[in-house]
Amino acid sequence: MDYKDYNDYELLSYIKEGNEDANNILIKKYEPLIVKIASRMYPNCKNNGLDLSDLIQEGMIGLNHAIDRYQEIENVLFYTYAQKCIERKILSVIISSNRDKNKILNESISYDDDENLLIKFIKSKSPSPEEEIINIEIEENLLNKIKEKLTKLENQVFELLIVGFKYKEIASMLEKDDKSIDNAIQRIKGKIKDILK
């Protein structure tokens, strides 16, 4: 079997019948797209522990999701659906790794000067563990309320903003122009103000 001899829909049909060769052909066909998307997004992985091969691997997972879940819908090509699944999967791992990176930096404790650190911690007026848990719960509830009010694009922008990306980086990652990202940010701010009222 050669992918040039079959269109996507024929291959998807064979895959549903359990044809492993058809699955491998479709993956081979979409591999250049995955590499292209991963390469485009890779510059946004500043010091977060991800390399290009990690993004390509996530893209492959996104393609497999597309293969498993695609239903022929009028006016939605498999290519478009697969591209979006690949982009979302890569984007989600970048967001997740940036969250984890910031979490590690924020929660790390220096062991160079344990005694002084312990004294500072005891003397500090930081919240008690109970207060800290309450604050985390309040934060999570607030984030959930915000996300419920946002559109799909606004949610993507919001996720990237809260992990530290600049709006020009977000525009590049989401393949949108700077103005549409700026408008999304303004709408997000407006919705957050309404929720806080």
Side-chain angles (χ1 to χ4, degrees):
M1 288 179 92
D2 185 356
Y3 74 81
K4 292 173 188 161
D5 299 332
Y6 301 93
N7 67 39
D8 290 350
Y9 305 101
E10 289 172 319
L11 290 169
L12 286 165
S13 175
Y14 289 132
I15 290 167
K16 284 188 175 153
E17 293 170 5
N19 187 320
E20 196 62 38
D21 288 340
N23 194 59
N24 292 336
I25 288 168
L26 198 58
I27 288 171
K28 184 178 177 186
K29 181 178 181 180
Y30 277 85
E31 191 171 5
L33 176 66
I34 292 169
V35 171
K36 180 181 171 188
I37 293 169
S39 299
R40 187 186 77 230
M41 292 186 170
Y42 181 63
N44 299 299
C45 298
K46 296 173 187 165
N47 305 317
N48 62 4
L50 292 173
D51 59 28
L52 184 58
S53 64
D54 294 325
L55 299 187
I56 291 169
Q57 186 63 38
E58 290 300 317
M60 290 289 184
I61 293 168
L63 176 59
N64 281 319
H65 284 301
I67 291 169
D68 290 343
R69 296 179 183 156
Y70 179 75
Q71 302 290 325
E72 285 191 49
I73 305 165
E74 193 176 340
N75 299 325
V76 179
L77 297 173
F78 175 74
Y79 176 88
T80 306
Y81 182 74
Q83 182 181 11
K84 289 299 169 198
C85 287
I86 293 163
E87 287 172 349
R88 285 186 190 131
K89 189 65 180 151
I90 292 173
L91 201 53
S92 71
V93 79
I94 291 171
I95 290 168
S96 176
S97 69
N98 279 318
R99 268 195 207 129
D100 292 345
K101 176 189 76 172
N102 292 334
K103 186 177 179 183
I104 290 166
L105 290 173
N106 293 335
E107 294 178 358
S108 64
I109 297 174
S110 169
Y111 293 101
D112 297 338
D113 197 3
D114 286 340
E115 192 172 280
N116 288 340
L117 184 66
L118 185 60
I119 291 167
K120 283 179 194 172
F121 180 75
I122 292 168
K123 289 183 179 178
S124 76
K125 296 187 179 185
S126 60
S128 70
E130 293 84 9
E131 290 172 318
E132 193 68 38
I133 289 167
I134 291 168
N135 289 342
I136 289 168
E137 284 177 4
I138 290 168
E139 230 175 85
E140 283 177 2
N141 286 335
L142 183 59
L143 277 174
N144 289 334
K145 280 183 185 174
I146 292 168
K147 287 179 181 181
E148 284 171 9
K149 298 286 183 189
L150 302 180
T151 65
K152 189 169 141 185
L153 172 64
E154 290 166 356
N155 259 305
Q156 289 175 320
V157 171
F158 183 65
E159 284 278 346
L160 292 166
L161 277 172
I162 61 176
V163 295
F165 285 106
K166 307 272 187 283
Y167 85 96
K168 284 188 180 289
E169 294 172 320
I170 295 169
S172 168
M173 290 173 82
L174 299 179
E175 292 186 316
K176 302 282 184 188
D177 59 68
D178 292 355
K179 186 68 180 161
S180 67
I181 298 301
D182 190 45
N183 289 340
I185 291 170
Q186 296 313 314
R187 289 192 305 273
I188 291 165
K189 286 179 180 177
K191 288 177 182 181
I192 290 172
K193 280 179 187 173
D194 289 344
I195 290 166
L196 294 176
K197 285 177 187 176

